[in-house]
Amino acid sequence: MALLLSTAYGKLIDAESKESGFTQIKGTLQTFMRLVKAYMKGDYRNVATKSLLVGVAVLLYLVTPIDIIPDFIPGLGLLDDLSLIAWFVNAFQTEISKFRDWEEDRSFDHSRIGTF
């Protein structure tokens, strides 16, 4: 069980990052939530609707108390959540990266171009 949890956790994080694994996962989930908000407002549409719906379903599964394997079961309880998060991070990394690039581009002050 410990090996399974360790393997799933290892797939979630960038081992070369200076941030903790929890911080990395939290950042990815927060970015996805910003992506959903931008999509809902109509500001960002560079994501497939199917991908967006699957991502939202993953988030809903994680926050609802209903689990395939109840969280109170030692070891196994968190395995389904951790596995789902690992799959989510792996499957949506490209979408998350594209969205982060879009955010950075929007925050860049284009009015400064050509001024010194």
Side-chain angles (χ1 to χ4, degrees), residues 35 38-39 42-49 51-52 94-99 101-102:
L35 185 156
Y39 185 89
D43 294 337
Y44 184 77
R45 295 294 181 165
N46 192 19
V47 60
T49 304
S51 295
L52 193 65
T94 301
E95 296 291 348
I96 297 293
S97 294
K98 287 191 314 188
F99 180 72
D101 291 344
W102 177 81

Side-chain angles (χ1 to χ4, degrees), residues 24-36 44 46-47 51-52 55 59 88-104:
Q24 291 178 50
I25 295 166
K26 181 180 169 186
T28 298
L29 294 175
Q30 288 173 334
T31 301
F32 183 75
M33 288 186 280
R34 289 193 313 272
L35 185 156
V36 171
Y44 184 77
N46 192 19
V47 60
S51 295
L52 193 65
L59 290 178
F88 171 80
V89 169
N90 187 45
F92 287 88
Q93 195 59 45
T94 301
E95 296 291 348
I96 297 293
S97 294
K98 287 191 314 188
F99 180 72
R100 285 180 176 158
D101 291 344
W102 177 81
E103 283 183 314
E104 286 178 25

